Amino acid sequence: AKKMLEIANFLDGCAAGIKTDCVPPTINKTELELCKTNAVAYNTTVSTCITMATQGKDACSCFQATAVADEKKVLTKCKASSSAKSSAKARSKCLNTLKYCKANVTAAGVLQYACRYSEEELTATLTQLTANSAAFSKFLAKIKSLTGLSGVLPGSTSNRTSRNRAVRNTEEEDAEEDVFDSPQARMRGKREEVACSTVVTSITTCTTAITNTPALTTVVTKCKAPTYTIATCTDADKTGIQAALNTALEKNAIILAFLDAIKAELTATTGSTPSPSDGTAGTARVAARSRSLLRKMIMEKMQLRN
């Protein structure tokens, strides 16, 4: 509450601070107008000399004329360095004020949301999100072992699979058959082999759970790593699986963004940063991309409602 009060008081002064610190700098307009006039005059003279050269006339005498040298000398003195320094200083002052105001607006939003929930509720949500993220990672690993395909985020390099891999190679199938022929296998029974297109259904089911209930246990259930085996995939099957994986990876940005948000809220309310074991570790680039994708999806939903 104390921190919220401090931020609120700071934000109350933001409007006045911006009005004071973002005033256009005072510049010497007379100097700038004179510079413009001299620049135009020099450009006109040089253009005349260039035209003479293109027409096969004596351009050397034109460039060597005293008028050209005099105009260049006058223009060289026109640096307006004092005005440039004044503008740069004013710009930095304004940007710093805007930066601090924006940072406090963000902090106020985090605190306002965090105050609605107890530390226990936030911690429980963080734990569930972590479990959901782990389940999704295992799910992707299993899909990759079945198909050799991985999801690709927008802007990332394209996925490449080995040309020698026909989803499941002959050696793997032979080894699996040996296992299935063993007494233990006959007791357990073979794993179910399904059509390759079933993989798309599994991915879509997982993606839907992440999109609709990213912080609930539904994700762990719907994104459980499949236990079936698949038949040989056609090129069309692989194309469908790749598209589904790309969408799933993009939607997973919701979980990653929520993880970052919950950590920020816990830090704001408790004063301590959650340990890496409380959530999934990720680079700043991945976190930024996740927040960007989350904002995009939220805006899309708002537009659909309107």
Side-chain angles (χ1 to χ4, degrees):
K2 182 179 179 182
K3 189 173 182 180
M4 191 66 180
L5 179 61
E6 292 176 355
I7 293 175
N9 291 335
F10 181 88
L11 292 177
D12 283 341
C14 266
I18 292 173
K19 187 176 181 180
T20 301
D21 297 339
C22 295
V23 177
T26 302
I27 58 176
N28 190 336
K29 293 184 178 180
T30 302
E31 180 185 15
L32 294 179
E33 287 296 332
L34 181 60
C35 287
K36 179 182 177 180
T37 300
N38 292 334
V40 171
Y42 181 72
N43 183 66
T44 301
T45 301
V46 172
S47 296
T48 301
C49 296
I50 293 174
T51 301
M52 292 176 62
T54 58
Q55 294 175 349
K57 298 179 180 179
D58 182 16
C60 292
S61 59
C62 179
F63 281 111
Q64 293 173 354
T66 304
V68 176
D70 291 341
E71 289 176 0
K72 180 180 178 182
K73 185 177 181 180
V74 172
L75 189 61
T76 302
K77 297 179 181 179
C78 187
K79 296 181 179 179
S81 57
S82 58
S83 296
K85 290 180 180 179
S86 176
S87 297
K89 184 177 180 180
R91 177 179 179 275
S92 297
K93 186 177 182 180
C94 178
L95 288 177
N96 285 334
T97 300
L98 291 173
K99 181 179 69 175
Y100 292 136
C101 287
K102 183 179 179 181
N104 280 274
V105 167
T106 301
V110 171
L111 285 173
Q112 185 178 14
Y113 180 80
C115 288
R116 295 177 57 189
Y117 301 96
S118 66
E119 181 181 347
E120 291 75 16
E121 290 173 322
L122 291 174
T123 302
T125 301
L126 180 62
T127 301
Q128 186 59 57
L129 285 168
T130 303
N132 292 350
S133 182
F136 182 68
S137 296
K138 292 179 180 178
F139 177 81
L140 291 182
K142 181 59 179 179
I143 296 300
K144 184 175 182 180
S145 70
L146 289 171
T147 66
L149 298 172
S150 301
V152 180
L153 283 172
S156 302
T157 56
S158 60
N159 182 67
R160 296 180 179 179
T161 57
S162 173
R163 294 182 179 179
N164 296 325
R165 180 184 179 93
V167 181
R168 299 168 67 232
N169 60 42
T170 305
E171 292 181 0
E172 289 176 338
E173 292 177 349
D174 291 342
E176 190 176 79
E177 289 177 0
D178 291 339
V179 173
F180 286 147
D181 288 337
S182 66
Q184 293 87 347
R186 285 193 290 271
M187 292 295 293
R188 293 193 304 268
K190 285 189 177 182
R191 288 185 295 171
E192 180 187 8
E193 181 177 85
V194 299
C196 188
S197 57
T198 305
V199 177
V200 175
T201 303
S202 298
I203 298 172
T204 303
T205 300
C206 175
T207 302
T208 301
I210 291 175
T211 303
N212 297 334
T213 56
L216 299 183
T217 57
T218 310
V219 174
V220 174
T221 303
K222 299 297 183 181
C223 295
K224 186 177 180 180
T227 57
Y228 53 71
T229 61
I230 58 174
T232 301
C233 294
T234 64
D235 290 340
D237 288 331
K238 292 180 181 180
T239 300
I241 293 172
Q242 185 64 65
L245 282 171
N246 293 349
T247 301
L249 200 61
E250 182 177 350
K251 297 303 182 182
N252 186 53
I254 300 175
I255 293 179
L256 297 179
F258 275 156
L259 278 168
D260 287 341
I262 295 297
K263 290 177 182 179
E265 290 156 15
L266 283 170
T267 301
T269 55
T270 65
S272 60
T273 304
S275 63
S277 60
D278 292 332
T280 54
T283 62
R285 182 178 300 176
V286 172
R289 182 183 300 169
S290 299
R291 288 191 292 272
S292 177
L293 291 172
L294 176 61
R295 285 195 296 270
K296 178 182 176 183
M297 286 183 279
I298 290 174
M299 292 302 297
E300 288 175 349
K301 287 189 177 181
M302 291 175 64
Q303 290 173 1
L304 288 175
R305 290 178 181 175
N306 294 332

